[in-house]
Amino acid sequence: MRLFGTASVLIALVILTGQPISVRAQPCLQLAGLEDAIGREVGEKLEHIFAGHEPCLSVQYMPASRSEAMLLSGQIDGDFPRLPEFAPYVGGKAVMVPVPLISGDGMLVTSDPTITSIDDLGAVTLGLRRGTKWSLEASGAHINRIFLPSYEIVVDMFLRGRLDAFLIESDNLKQYEAQLVFATRTLVRHGRAYLWLAKKNEKYLPEITRVLNQSDFQALDIYDR
């Protein structure tokens, strides 16, 4: 009886107001963002900007390797922040929204001041955060690489002498400045990162692009993927 009573109230409201009751046509797109301060800042901006639009966006945070797997398997609707070079990894399973979310620098940090490029590394141990493909590409053919789940662990191993060098984004590097005053820093890449949508959501590409372009969204001056 409660169900029919609720339905009667809704019908009465439509009759009295002469207007249909507004119901969101579909749920928000489910995006994945990096589970760090940068990812959360961008994610919160996206959720705020698209709160009054269709599609709206909802963000969950996770490691980059996991979000890539979920995007490719169709478990999420989009993934950020990713470089344009993400394309070969997703093939035709995702499309890039052509409005940058992040811009900045990729840095090589070393304990040896004579090392100022990837080519100078020789046989030293290089630390990379797992799932950040820009660092995988930037490290080139260097063989002695260790993949770690977070920059906190990367920096800790570097400070304890278990890593000779590592790659990190400029903004993430800032939080470790006090610990790394002795280290040599070298710019190895500059670029921009974007939101990538699963291919099934390509129909939303024009609207998401339009909203981002017309909003007050400013790309964060950092570099990550």
Short mmCIF file of all heavy atoms in Angstrom, two decimals, residues 126-184:
data_model
loop_
_atom_site.label_atom_id
_atom_site.label_comp_id
_atom_site.label_asym_id
_atom_site.label_seq_id
_atom_site.Cartn_x
_atom_site.Cartn_y
_atom_site.Cartn_z
N LEU A 126 67.75 2.32 -10.93
CA LEU A 126 66.80 3.41 -11.16
C LEU A 126 65.43 3.01 -10.63
O LEU A 126 64.90 1.95 -10.98
CB LEU A 126 66.70 3.71 -12.66
CG LEU A 126 65.69 4.79 -13.08
CD1 LEU A 126 66.11 6.17 -12.57
CD2 LEU A 126 65.54 4.80 -14.61
N GLY A 127 64.83 3.86 -9.79
CA GLY A 127 63.51 3.58 -9.23
C GLY A 127 62.40 4.26 -10.02
O GLY A 127 62.51 5.43 -10.39
N LEU A 128 61.33 3.53 -10.29
CA LEU A 128 60.16 4.05 -11.00
C LEU A 128 58.91 3.72 -10.20
O LEU A 128 58.81 2.65 -9.60
CB LEU A 128 60.03 3.41 -12.40
CG LEU A 128 61.25 3.42 -13.33
CD1 LEU A 128 60.91 2.72 -14.62
CD2 LEU A 128 61.71 4.84 -13.60
N ARG A 129 57.94 4.64 -10.20
CA ARG A 129 56.66 4.31 -9.58
C ARG A 129 55.86 3.44 -10.54
O ARG A 129 55.70 3.78 -11.71
CB ARG A 129 55.85 5.57 -9.23
CG ARG A 129 54.57 5.24 -8.47
CD ARG A 129 53.83 6.47 -8.00
NE ARG A 129 53.20 7.17 -9.11
CZ ARG A 129 52.36 8.20 -8.95
NH1 ARG A 129 52.10 8.65 -7.74
NH2 ARG A 129 51.82 8.79 -9.98
N ARG A 130 55.37 2.33 -10.05
CA ARG A 130 54.64 1.38 -10.88
C ARG A 130 53.40 2.03 -11.49
O ARG A 130 52.65 2.73 -10.81
CB ARG A 130 54.23 0.17 -10.04
CG ARG A 130 53.62 -0.97 -10.83
CD ARG A 130 53.23 -2.12 -9.91
NE ARG A 130 54.39 -2.62 -9.18
CZ ARG A 130 54.41 -2.78 -7.86
NH1 ARG A 130 53.35 -2.47 -7.13
NH2 ARG A 130 55.49 -3.26 -7.27
N GLY A 131 53.19 1.82 -12.78
CA GLY A 131 52.00 2.32 -13.46
C GLY A 131 52.17 3.67 -14.13
O GLY A 131 51.30 4.09 -14.88
N THR A 132 53.30 4.38 -13.90
CA THR A 132 53.53 5.68 -14.55
C THR A 132 54.33 5.43 -15.82
O THR A 132 55.54 5.32 -15.80
CB THR A 132 54.27 6.66 -13.63
OG1 THR A 132 55.43 6.00 -13.10
CG2 THR A 132 53.39 7.09 -12.47
N LYS A 133 53.62 5.36 -16.93
CA LYS A 133 54.26 4.95 -18.19
C LYS A 133 55.20 6.00 -18.75
O LYS A 133 56.10 5.68 -19.52
CB LYS A 133 53.19 4.55 -19.19
CG LYS A 133 52.51 3.24 -18.80
CD LYS A 133 51.67 2.68 -19.90
CE LYS A 133 51.27 1.25 -19.56
NZ LYS A 133 50.64 1.11 -18.25
N TRP A 134 55.02 7.26 -18.36
CA TRP A 134 55.95 8.27 -18.86
C TRP A 134 57.36 7.95 -18.36
O TRP A 134 58.34 8.10 -19.10
CB TRP A 134 55.53 9.68 -18.40
CG TRP A 134 55.84 10.00 -16.96
CD1 TRP A 134 55.02 9.88 -15.90
CD2 TRP A 134 57.08 10.48 -16.44
NE1 TRP A 134 55.66 10.26 -14.75
CE2 TRP A 134 56.93 10.63 -15.04
CE3 TRP A 134 58.32 10.79 -17.01
CZ2 TRP A 134 57.95 11.08 -14.21
CZ3 TRP A 134 59.35 11.25 -16.18
CH2 TRP A 134 59.16 11.39 -14.80
N SER A 135 57.47 7.49 -17.11
CA SER A 135 58.80 7.19 -16.56
C SER A 135 59.36 5.92 -17.19
O SER A 135 60.58 5.80 -17.39
CB SER A 135 58.74 7.06 -15.04
OG SER A 135 57.84 6.05 -14.63
N LEU A 136 58.48 4.98 -17.50
CA LEU A 136 58.91 3.76 -18.19
C LEU A 136 59.50 4.12 -19.55
O LEU A 136 60.56 3.62 -19.95
CB LEU A 136 57.74 2.80 -18.35
CG LEU A 136 58.03 1.47 -19.05
CD1 LEU A 136 59.02 0.65 -18.25
CD2 LEU A 136 56.73 0.70 -19.26
N GLU A 137 58.83 5.02 -20.27
CA GLU A 137 59.30 5.44 -21.59
C GLU A 137 60.57 6.30 -21.46
O GLU A 137 61.51 6.15 -22.24
CB GLU A 137 58.21 6.22 -22.31
CG GLU A 137 57.00 5.35 -22.65
CD GLU A 137 55.80 6.16 -23.05
OE1 GLU A 137 55.89 7.41 -23.05
OE2 GLU A 137 54.75 5.56 -23.36
N ALA A 138 60.59 7.19 -20.47
CA ALA A 138 61.74 8.08 -20.30
C ALA A 138 63.01 7.30 -19.93
O ALA A 138 64.12 7.70 -20.28
CB ALA A 138 61.45 9.13 -19.24
N SER A 139 62.83 6.18 -19.23
CA SER A 139 63.99 5.39 -18.82
C SER A 139 64.60 4.60 -19.96
O SER A 139 65.70 4.03 -19.82
CB SER A 139 63.60 4.43 -17.68
OG SER A 139 62.61 3.51 -18.10
N GLY A 140 63.90 4.56 -21.09
CA GLY A 140 64.45 3.97 -22.30
C GLY A 140 64.87 2.53 -22.14
O GLY A 140 64.13 1.70 -21.61
N ALA A 141 66.10 2.25 -22.56
CA ALA A 141 66.61 0.87 -22.54
C ALA A 141 67.36 0.54 -21.25
O ALA A 141 68.02 -0.50 -21.17
CB ALA A 141 67.51 0.64 -23.75
N HIS A 142 67.30 1.44 -20.27
CA HIS A 142 68.01 1.16 -19.03
C HIS A 142 67.51 -0.14 -18.40
O HIS A 142 66.30 -0.33 -18.21
CB HIS A 142 67.82 2.32 -18.05
CG HIS A 142 68.70 2.22 -16.83
ND1 HIS A 142 70.06 2.41 -16.89
CD2 HIS A 142 68.41 1.92 -15.54
CE1 HIS A 142 70.58 2.25 -15.68
NE2 HIS A 142 69.60 1.95 -14.85
N ILE A 143 68.42 -1.03 -18.08
CA ILE A 143 68.06 -2.38 -17.66
C ILE A 143 67.79 -2.47 -16.15
O ILE A 143 66.84 -3.13 -15.72
CB ILE A 143 69.17 -3.38 -18.04
CG1 ILE A 143 69.31 -3.43 -19.57
CG2 ILE A 143 68.86 -4.77 -17.49
CD1 ILE A 143 70.46 -4.29 -20.04
N ASN A 144 68.58 -1.79 -15.35
CA ASN A 144 68.51 -1.95 -13.90
C ASN A 144 67.44 -1.04 -13.30
O ASN A 144 67.73 0.00 -12.72
CB ASN A 144 69.88 -1.67 -13.28
CG ASN A 144 69.98 -2.14 -11.84
OD1 ASN A 144 69.07 -2.80 -11.34
ND2 ASN A 144 71.06 -1.78 -11.18
N ARG A 145 66.18 -1.46 -13.44
CA ARG A 145 65.05 -0.66 -12.95
C ARG A 145 64.28 -1.43 -11.89
O ARG A 145 64.10 -2.63 -11.99
CB ARG A 145 64.11 -0.31 -14.11
CG ARG A 145 64.74 0.56 -15.18
CD ARG A 145 63.78 0.84 -16.31
NE ARG A 145 63.44 -0.37 -17.05
CZ ARG A 145 62.74 -0.39 -18.20
NH1 ARG A 145 62.30 0.76 -18.70
NH2 ARG A 145 62.48 -1.52 -18.81
N ILE A 146 63.81 -0.69 -10.88
CA ILE A 146 62.97 -1.27 -9.83
C ILE A 146 61.63 -0.53 -9.83
O ILE A 146 61.60 0.71 -9.78
CB ILE A 146 63.63 -1.16 -8.45
CG1 ILE A 146 64.91 -2.00 -8.40
CG2 ILE A 146 62.67 -1.62 -7.35
CD1 ILE A 146 65.63 -1.92 -7.07
N PHE A 147 60.53 -1.29 -9.87
CA PHE A 147 59.20 -0.70 -9.91
C PHE A 147 58.57 -0.81 -8.52
O PHE A 147 58.46 -1.90 -7.95
CB PHE A 147 58.34 -1.42 -10.95
CG PHE A 147 58.87 -1.31 -12.34
CD1 PHE A 147 59.79 -2.24 -12.82
CD2 PHE A 147 58.48 -0.27 -13.16
CE1 PHE A 147 60.30 -2.14 -14.10
CE2 PHE A 147 58.98 -0.16 -14.45
CZ PHE A 147 59.90 -1.09 -14.93
N LEU A 148 58.14 0.35 -8.00
CA LEU A 148 57.63 0.43 -6.63
C LEU A 148 56.23 1.05 -6.62
O LEU A 148 55.89 1.83 -7.51
CB LEU A 148 58.59 1.24 -5.77
CG LEU A 148 60.01 0.63 -5.68
CD1 LEU A 148 61.02 1.65 -5.18
CD2 LEU A 148 60.00 -0.59 -4.78
N PRO A 149 55.42 0.73 -5.61
CA PRO A 149 54.01 1.17 -5.61
C PRO A 149 53.76 2.63 -5.30
O PRO A 149 52.69 3.14 -5.59
CB PRO A 149 53.37 0.26 -4.56
CG PRO A 149 54.49 -0.11 -3.65
CD PRO A 149 55.70 -0.21 -4.52
N SER A 150 54.71 3.33 -4.68
CA SER A 150 54.47 4.73 -4.31
C SER A 150 55.78 5.51 -4.28
O SER A 150 56.86 4.93 -4.11
CB SER A 150 53.79 4.81 -2.93
OG SER A 150 54.71 4.45 -1.90
N TYR A 151 55.66 6.85 -4.39
CA TYR A 151 56.86 7.69 -4.30
C TYR A 151 57.42 7.71 -2.89
O TYR A 151 58.61 7.92 -2.70
CB TYR A 151 56.55 9.10 -4.79
CG TYR A 151 56.45 9.20 -6.29
CD1 TYR A 151 55.36 9.79 -6.90
CD2 TYR A 151 57.46 8.68 -7.10
CE1 TYR A 151 55.26 9.88 -8.28
CE2 TYR A 151 57.37 8.76 -8.48
CZ TYR A 151 56.26 9.36 -9.06
OH TYR A 151 56.18 9.43 -10.43
N GLU A 152 56.57 7.53 -1.91
CA GLU A 152 57.05 7.47 -0.52
C GLU A 152 58.08 6.35 -0.36
O GLU A 152 59.14 6.53 0.25
CB GLU A 152 55.88 7.25 0.43
CG GLU A 152 56.29 7.23 1.90
CD GLU A 152 55.11 7.05 2.83
OE1 GLU A 152 53.96 6.95 2.33
OE2 GLU A 152 55.33 7.02 4.05
N ILE A 153 57.78 5.20 -0.96
CA ILE A 153 58.71 4.07 -0.90
C ILE A 153 59.93 4.33 -1.76
O ILE A 153 61.07 4.01 -1.37
CB ILE A 153 58.00 2.77 -1.33
CG1 ILE A 153 56.89 2.44 -0.34
CG2 ILE A 153 59.00 1.61 -1.42
CD1 ILE A 153 56.04 1.25 -0.74
N VAL A 154 59.73 4.94 -2.93
CA VAL A 154 60.85 5.26 -3.82
C VAL A 154 61.85 6.16 -3.10
O VAL A 154 63.07 5.89 -3.09
CB VAL A 154 60.35 5.96 -5.11
CG1 VAL A 154 61.53 6.52 -5.90
CG2 VAL A 154 59.56 4.98 -5.97
N VAL A 155 61.37 7.24 -2.50
CA VAL A 155 62.25 8.19 -1.82
C VAL A 155 62.91 7.54 -0.62
O VAL A 155 64.11 7.76 -0.36
CB VAL A 155 61.46 9.46 -1.41
CG1 VAL A 155 62.33 10.37 -0.54
CG2 VAL A 155 60.98 10.20 -2.65
N ASP A 156 62.18 6.74 0.13
CA ASP A 156 62.75 6.06 1.29
C ASP A 156 63.91 5.15 0.88
O ASP A 156 64.97 5.16 1.52
CB ASP A 156 61.67 5.24 2.00
CG ASP A 156 62.22 4.48 3.20
OD1 ASP A 156 62.62 5.14 4.18
OD2 ASP A 156 62.27 3.24 3.15
N MET A 157 63.74 4.40 -0.19
CA MET A 157 64.80 3.52 -0.66
C MET A 157 66.00 4.31 -1.18
O MET A 157 67.16 3.92 -1.00
CB MET A 157 64.27 2.58 -1.74
CG MET A 157 63.31 1.52 -1.21
SD MET A 157 62.77 0.33 -2.47
CE MET A 157 64.32 -0.47 -2.90
N PHE A 158 65.71 5.46 -1.81
CA PHE A 158 66.78 6.34 -2.30
C PHE A 158 67.59 6.88 -1.12
O PHE A 158 68.83 6.88 -1.14
CB PHE A 158 66.18 7.49 -3.10
CG PHE A 158 67.18 8.47 -3.63
CD1 PHE A 158 67.98 8.17 -4.72
CD2 PHE A 158 67.32 9.73 -3.04
CE1 PHE A 158 68.91 9.09 -5.22
CE2 PHE A 158 68.23 10.65 -3.53
CZ PHE A 158 69.03 10.33 -4.62
N LEU A 159 66.92 7.32 -0.08
CA LEU A 159 67.60 7.88 1.09
C LEU A 159 68.42 6.82 1.83
O LEU A 159 69.43 7.15 2.46
CB LEU A 159 66.58 8.51 2.03
CG LEU A 159 65.86 9.75 1.51
CD1 LEU A 159 64.76 10.18 2.47
CD2 LEU A 159 66.84 10.89 1.29
N ARG A 160 67.99 5.57 1.77
CA ARG A 160 68.72 4.49 2.42
C ARG A 160 69.78 3.86 1.53
O ARG A 160 70.41 2.87 1.91
CB ARG A 160 67.73 3.43 2.91
CG ARG A 160 66.87 3.92 4.08
CD ARG A 160 66.08 2.81 4.74
NE ARG A 160 64.97 2.35 3.92
CZ ARG A 160 64.78 1.10 3.52
NH1 ARG A 160 65.68 0.18 3.81
NH2 ARG A 160 63.73 0.76 2.81
N GLY A 161 69.97 4.46 0.34
CA GLY A 161 71.02 3.99 -0.55
C GLY A 161 70.69 2.74 -1.34
O GLY A 161 71.58 2.15 -1.97
N ARG A 162 69.43 2.35 -1.36
CA ARG A 162 69.05 1.16 -2.11
C ARG A 162 68.68 1.49 -3.55
O ARG A 162 68.53 0.60 -4.39
CB ARG A 162 67.89 0.46 -1.41
CG ARG A 162 68.28 -0.06 -0.02
CD ARG A 162 67.12 -0.74 0.67
NE ARG A 162 66.65 -1.90 -0.08
CZ ARG A 162 65.54 -2.59 0.23
NH1 ARG A 162 64.82 -2.22 1.29
NH2 ARG A 162 65.17 -3.63 -0.48
N LEU A 163 68.53 2.78 -3.85
CA LEU A 163 68.35 3.28 -5.21
C LEU A 163 69.40 4.35 -5.46
O LEU A 163 69.71 5.15 -4.56
CB LEU A 163 66.96 3.89 -5.41
CG LEU A 163 65.74 2.97 -5.35
CD1 LEU A 163 64.47 3.81 -5.49
CD2 LEU A 163 65.79 1.91 -6.43
N ASP A 164 69.93 4.40 -6.68
CA ASP A 164 70.90 5.43 -7.04
C ASP A 164 70.24 6.63 -7.70
O ASP A 164 70.81 7.73 -7.72
CB ASP A 164 71.95 4.84 -7.99
CG ASP A 164 72.66 3.64 -7.40
OD1 ASP A 164 73.30 3.82 -6.35
OD2 ASP A 164 72.56 2.54 -7.97
N ALA A 165 69.04 6.41 -8.25
CA ALA A 165 68.33 7.47 -8.97
C ALA A 165 66.87 7.08 -9.08
O ALA A 165 66.51 5.90 -8.93
CB ALA A 165 68.95 7.68 -10.35
N PHE A 166 66.02 8.07 -9.35
CA PHE A 166 64.61 7.77 -9.60
C PHE A 166 63.98 8.86 -10.44
O PHE A 166 64.51 9.97 -10.56
CB PHE A 166 63.83 7.57 -8.29
CG PHE A 166 63.75 8.78 -7.40
CD1 PHE A 166 62.69 9.67 -7.49
CD2 PHE A 166 64.74 9.03 -6.45
CE1 PHE A 166 62.61 10.78 -6.65
CE2 PHE A 166 64.67 10.12 -5.61
CZ PHE A 166 63.60 11.01 -5.71
N LEU A 167 62.84 8.54 -11.04
CA LEU A 167 62.08 9.48 -11.85
C LEU A 167 60.80 9.86 -11.11
O LEU A 167 60.15 9.01 -10.51
CB LEU A 167 61.73 8.87 -13.22
CG LEU A 167 62.91 8.65 -14.16
CD1 LEU A 167 62.50 7.80 -15.36
CD2 LEU A 167 63.47 9.99 -14.65
N ILE A 168 60.46 11.16 -11.17
CA ILE A 168 59.30 11.66 -10.42
C ILE A 168 58.78 12.93 -11.08
O ILE A 168 59.55 13.66 -11.74
CB ILE A 168 59.69 11.93 -8.94
CG1 ILE A 168 58.48 12.29 -8.09
CG2 ILE A 168 60.76 13.02 -8.86
CD1 ILE A 168 58.78 12.35 -6.59
N GLU A 169 57.49 13.22 -10.91
CA GLU A 169 56.92 14.45 -11.45
C GLU A 169 57.31 15.65 -10.56
O GLU A 169 57.48 15.50 -9.36
CB GLU A 169 55.39 14.36 -11.52
CG GLU A 169 54.87 13.25 -12.38
CD GLU A 169 54.90 11.91 -11.67
OE1 GLU A 169 54.66 11.87 -10.44
OE2 GLU A 169 55.17 10.90 -12.34
N SER A 170 57.41 16.81 -11.17
CA SER A 170 57.91 17.99 -10.46
C SER A 170 57.07 18.33 -9.23
O SER A 170 57.62 18.69 -8.18
CB SER A 170 57.96 19.18 -11.42
OG SER A 170 56.69 19.42 -12.01
N ASP A 171 55.76 18.24 -9.32
CA ASP A 171 54.94 18.63 -8.18
C ASP A 171 55.04 17.61 -7.05
O ASP A 171 55.06 17.97 -5.88
CB ASP A 171 53.48 18.81 -8.60
CG ASP A 171 52.69 19.59 -7.58
OD1 ASP A 171 52.95 20.79 -7.44
OD2 ASP A 171 51.86 18.99 -6.88
N ASN A 172 55.09 16.33 -7.40
CA ASN A 172 55.28 15.31 -6.37
C ASN A 172 56.64 15.46 -5.69
O ASN A 172 56.79 15.17 -4.50
CB ASN A 172 55.15 13.91 -6.98
CG ASN A 172 53.71 13.48 -7.14
OD1 ASN A 172 52.88 13.68 -6.26
ND2 ASN A 172 53.39 12.91 -8.29
N LEU A 173 57.62 15.93 -6.45
CA LEU A 173 58.96 16.12 -5.90
C LEU A 173 58.98 17.17 -4.79
O LEU A 173 59.76 17.08 -3.83
CB LEU A 173 59.93 16.51 -7.02
CG LEU A 173 61.39 16.77 -6.65
CD1 LEU A 173 62.02 15.52 -6.02
CD2 LEU A 173 62.18 17.21 -7.88
N LYS A 174 58.10 18.15 -4.88
CA LYS A 174 58.09 19.26 -3.92
C LYS A 174 57.92 18.79 -2.47
O LYS A 174 58.50 19.36 -1.55
CB LYS A 174 56.97 20.24 -4.27
CG LYS A 174 57.22 21.01 -5.55
CD LYS A 174 56.04 21.91 -5.87
CE LYS A 174 56.24 22.65 -7.19
NZ LYS A 174 55.06 23.47 -7.54
N GLN A 175 57.12 17.75 -2.27
CA GLN A 175 56.86 17.32 -0.89
C GLN A 175 58.06 16.62 -0.26
O GLN A 175 58.08 16.37 0.95
CB GLN A 175 55.64 16.40 -0.86
CG GLN A 175 55.77 15.13 -1.66
CD GLN A 175 54.48 14.34 -1.71
OE1 GLN A 175 53.93 13.98 -0.67
NE2 GLN A 175 53.98 14.08 -2.90
N TYR A 176 59.09 16.33 -1.07
CA TYR A 176 60.29 15.67 -0.54
C TYR A 176 61.52 16.57 -0.58
O TYR A 176 62.63 16.10 -0.35
CB TYR A 176 60.56 14.38 -1.34
CG TYR A 176 59.41 13.41 -1.34
CD1 TYR A 176 58.64 13.22 -2.49
CD2 TYR A 176 59.08 12.69 -0.20
CE1 TYR A 176 57.58 12.33 -2.50
CE2 TYR A 176 58.01 11.79 -0.20
CZ TYR A 176 57.27 11.62 -1.36
OH TYR A 176 56.21 10.74 -1.36
N GLU A 177 61.33 17.85 -0.89
CA GLU A 177 62.45 18.77 -1.06
C GLU A 177 63.38 18.78 0.15
O GLU A 177 64.62 18.77 0.00
CB GLU A 177 61.95 20.19 -1.34
CG GLU A 177 61.35 20.38 -2.73
CD GLU A 177 62.40 20.35 -3.82
OE1 GLU A 177 63.61 20.34 -3.50
OE2 GLU A 177 62.03 20.32 -5.00
N ALA A 178 62.83 18.84 1.35
CA ALA A 178 63.66 18.93 2.55
C ALA A 178 64.55 17.70 2.73
O ALA A 178 65.66 17.80 3.25
CB ALA A 178 62.78 19.11 3.79
N GLN A 179 64.08 16.56 2.27
CA GLN A 179 64.85 15.32 2.40
C GLN A 179 65.88 15.16 1.29
O GLN A 179 66.82 14.37 1.42
CB GLN A 179 63.90 14.12 2.39
CG GLN A 179 62.88 14.10 3.51
CD GLN A 179 61.79 13.09 3.24
OE1 GLN A 179 60.75 13.39 2.66
NE2 GLN A 179 62.03 11.85 3.67
N LEU A 180 65.68 15.91 0.20
CA LEU A 180 66.51 15.69 -0.99
C LEU A 180 67.36 16.90 -1.36
O LEU A 180 67.70 17.09 -2.52
CB LEU A 180 65.59 15.32 -2.18
CG LEU A 180 64.78 14.03 -2.01
CD1 LEU A 180 63.75 13.90 -3.13
CD2 LEU A 180 65.69 12.81 -1.98
N VAL A 181 67.71 17.70 -0.36
CA VAL A 181 68.49 18.92 -0.64
C VAL A 181 69.85 18.59 -1.27
O VAL A 181 70.43 19.41 -1.98
CB VAL A 181 68.70 19.75 0.65
CG1 VAL A 181 67.39 20.35 1.10
CG2 VAL A 181 69.31 18.89 1.76
N PHE A 182 70.37 17.41 -1.01
CA PHE A 182 71.69 17.01 -1.50
C PHE A 182 71.64 16.45 -2.92
O PHE A 182 72.68 16.31 -3.58
CB PHE A 182 72.27 15.92 -0.59
CG PHE A 182 71.48 14.64 -0.63
CD1 PHE A 182 71.81 13.63 -1.52
CD2 PHE A 182 70.38 14.45 0.21
CE1 PHE A 182 71.06 12.45 -1.57
CE2 PHE A 182 69.64 13.28 0.17
CZ PHE A 182 69.99 12.27 -0.72
N ALA A 183 70.44 16.11 -3.41
CA ALA A 183 70.31 15.37 -4.66
C ALA A 183 70.39 16.28 -5.89
O ALA A 183 70.06 17.47 -5.83
CB ALA A 183 69.00 14.60 -4.67
N THR A 184 70.81 15.69 -6.99
CA THR A 184 70.86 16.38 -8.28
C THR A 184 69.56 16.13 -9.03
O THR A 184 69.09 15.00 -9.11
CB THR A 184 72.04 15.86 -9.13
OG1 THR A 184 73.25 16.11 -8.44
CG2 THR A 184 72.07 16.55 -10.49
#
